[in-house]
């Protein structure tokens, strides 16, 4: 029940009506029994600065950011975490003693399925539970400790080199399809895993060159990054231990499409991990094709859940949140159960 004491969280975007975040965050808030509510706030591009001032005035504790504000908000924040600067985008904002601080939880969301053992009730992804490189989920118990109202002292520390957990990626090759904003979070994640080679595939040689150069002097430099045009995809797929689609190809309503042709996906190694950031349809044609050839599949729904869980931990100042509750809420909302 919303009361006079209820603290506000939310998501800003334009449009924002389609956002799935309220469903998963409010499910977790209800499960935890904390006096918060998570609301969608439509904010037009020209109103972003005014919205930040308004949020501060009414005591909003934090918010998520979606298109078109992820880059535009950067100069309006008091602090930006190193990982957000490296990616060039903010998806999570929270209050600090210095004002609004921005970070990016997409990297944590991307990495979570690659670093944890699979846990029911999630139905997608790798089926063999014996490998540390396979599909998985982080499910944590709820923590009912009261929220501390103090402001967080500073932005989160930069990500450390190397994967958390027992997986050894030091000899693994990652191939990333696309070189847009989503690809930046994936590159950062693969660098954190410690992949020996990171290959990015795009269509424009100039854009690819700029993408590669942007990581040289980044707060999170990536030295083992190589870029390629799509003509090299067949060769790269045969080398890939991890193949990630960051393009919109195959997204609803064009769910029959795949970014990789049949003849090219035939070259995927059995046991390789194929990861699609798209979550509708579920699974995508790309993942279905890869699974038929013995690959292990991860869909974008888990990344969405895990990046949201990482943000909720920041806002509630908790070490754990009910990830399983958030996942189930999204699956029901999307009609997957």
């Amino acid at each position: 029940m919303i009361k006079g004491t209820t603290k506000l969280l939310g998501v800003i975007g334009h449009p924002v009506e389609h956002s799935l975040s309220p469903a998963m965050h409010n499910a977790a808030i209800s499960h935890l029994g904390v006096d918060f509510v998570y609301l969608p706030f439509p904010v037009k591009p020209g109103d972003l600065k005014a919205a930040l001032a308004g949020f501060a005035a009414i005591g909003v504790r934090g918010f998520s950011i979606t298109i078109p504000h992820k880059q535009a908000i950067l100069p309006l924040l008091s602090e930006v975490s190193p990982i957000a600067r490296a990616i060039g985008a903010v998806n999570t904002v929270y209050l600090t003693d210095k004002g609004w601080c921005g970070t990016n939880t997409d990297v944590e969301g991307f990495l979570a399925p690659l670093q944890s053992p699979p846990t029911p009730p999630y139905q997608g992804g790798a089926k063999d539970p014996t490998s540390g490189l396979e599909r998985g989920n982080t499910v944590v118990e709820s923590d009912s400790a009261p929220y501390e109202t103090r402001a967080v002292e500073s932005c989160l520390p930069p990500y450390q080199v190397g994967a958390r957990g027992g997986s050894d990626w030091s000899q693994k090759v990652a191939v990333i399809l696309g070189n847009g904003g989503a690809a930046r979070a994936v590159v950062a994640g693969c660098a954190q895993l410690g992949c020996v080679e990171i290959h990015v595939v795009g269509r424009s040689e100039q854009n690819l060159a700029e993408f590669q150069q942007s990581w040289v002097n980044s707060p999170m430099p990536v030295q083992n990054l190589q870029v390629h045009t799509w003509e090299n995809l067949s060769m790269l797929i045969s080398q890939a231990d991890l193949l990630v689609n960051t393009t919109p190809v195959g997204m609803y309503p064009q769910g029959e499409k795949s970014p990789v042709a049949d003849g090219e996906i035939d070259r995927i190694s059995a046991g390789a991990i194929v990861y699609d950031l798209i979550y509708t349809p579920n699974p995508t044609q790309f993942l279905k094709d890869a699974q038929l050839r013995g690959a292990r599949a991860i869909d974008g729904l888990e990344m969405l859940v895990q990046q949201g869980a990482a943000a909720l931990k920041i806002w509630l100042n908790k070490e754990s949140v009910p990830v399983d509750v958030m996942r189930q809420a999204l699956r029901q909302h999307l009609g997957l159960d």
Side-chain angles (χ1 to χ4, degrees):
M1 179 184 297
I2 298 176
K3 302 173 291 187
T5 58
T6 300
K7 304 170 188 69
L8 299 178
L9 300 170
V11 55
I12 66 171
H14 186 72
V16 78
E17 293 81 2
H18 66 286
S19 176
L20 300 178
S21 295
M24 67 174 175
H25 284 301
N26 284 318
I29 287 168
S30 177
H31 182 86
L32 290 169
V34 293
D35 191 15
F36 279 78
V37 66
Y38 185 102
L39 303 171
F41 295 108
V43 176
K44 296 178 181 178
D47 295 336
L48 183 56
K49 186 174 182 179
L52 285 181
F55 283 174
I58 64 174
V60 171
R61 297 303 178 93
F63 53 93
S64 310
I65 307 173
T66 188
I67 295 172
H69 303 310
K70 286 189 171 186
Q71 291 81 36
I73 200 167
L74 284 163
L76 302 178
L77 299 172
S78 299
E79 285 191 82
V80 178
S81 69
I83 192 67
R85 290 202 179 279
I87 296 171
V90 165
N91 78 338
T92 301
V93 173
Y94 58 99
L95 196 61
T96 77
D97 57 348
K98 297 181 181 178
W100 293 117
C101 179
T103 190
N104 194 303
T105 63
D106 283 337
V107 175
E108 187 168 347
F110 169 73
L111 288 175
L114 299 171
Q115 297 177 315
S116 307
T119 305
Y122 185 69
Q123 302 300 314
K127 306 301 181 185
D128 176 5
T130 60
S131 170
L133 298 181
E134 67 199 28
R135 163 92 190 92
N137 313 285
T138 302
V139 179
V140 291
E141 298 299 323
S142 64
D143 178 357
S144 59
Y147 176 81
E148 295 182 23
T149 57
R150 63 176 174 80
V152 179
E153 291 182 357
S154 183
C155 282
L156 301 179
Y159 281 83
Q160 302 301 314
V161 176
R164 296 165 295 173
S167 302
D168 180 11
W169 288 81
S170 63
Q171 300 302 314
K172 303 298 180 181
V173 174
V175 177
I176 301 163
L177 308 179
N179 60 306
R184 297 193 66 84
V186 173
V187 166
C190 290
Q192 186 185 344
L193 285 172
C195 294
V196 66
E197 296 178 17
I198 302 172
H199 301 272
V200 170
V201 182
R203 302 200 180 279
S204 166
E205 290 187 2
Q206 179 178 344
N207 290 346
L208 285 166
E210 292 173 355
F211 184 92
Q212 184 174 32
Q213 183 60 35
S214 71
W215 290 96
V216 174
N217 297 316
S218 163
M220 185 177 178
V222 179
Q223 306 298 339
N224 57 342
L225 174 65
Q226 301 177 49
V227 296
H228 312 263
T229 56
W230 284 82
E231 289 76 12
N232 297 313
L233 183 57
S234 291
M235 174 194 68
L236 293 169
I237 286 180
S238 65
Q239 303 172 18
D241 299 291
L242 173 64
L243 177 64
V244 185
N245 176 40
T246 72
T247 79
V249 178
M251 185 182 295
Y252 178 85
Q254 297 182 316
E256 75 287 352
K257 294 187 176 182
S258 171
V260 180
D262 283 347
E264 293 173 330
I265 200 64
D266 285 340
R267 300 174 67 87
I268 194 72
S269 299
I273 298 174
V274 179
Y275 197 146
D276 200 333
L277 302 195
I278 295 171
Y279 52 84
T280 50
N282 188 297
T284 59
Q285 189 63 48
F286 173 59
L287 291 184
K288 289 190 284 187
D289 291 345
Q291 283 184 305
L292 286 174
R293 291 154 177 86
R296 301 170 180 179
I298 301 175
D299 64 66
L301 185 65
E302 189 65 10
M303 178 174 172
L304 178 64
V305 171
Q306 296 287 354
Q307 64 80 28
L312 194 59
K313 290 176 189 177
I314 295 171
W315 297 324
L316 300 185
N317 195 28
K318 289 182 177 290
E319 293 184 1
S320 64
V321 294
V323 182
D324 51 342
V325 171
M326 299 173 75
R327 182 188 303 112
Q328 190 64 25
L330 280 191
R331 291 186 63 83
Q332 290 178 350
H333 187 82
L334 293 169
L336 298 176
D337 289 331

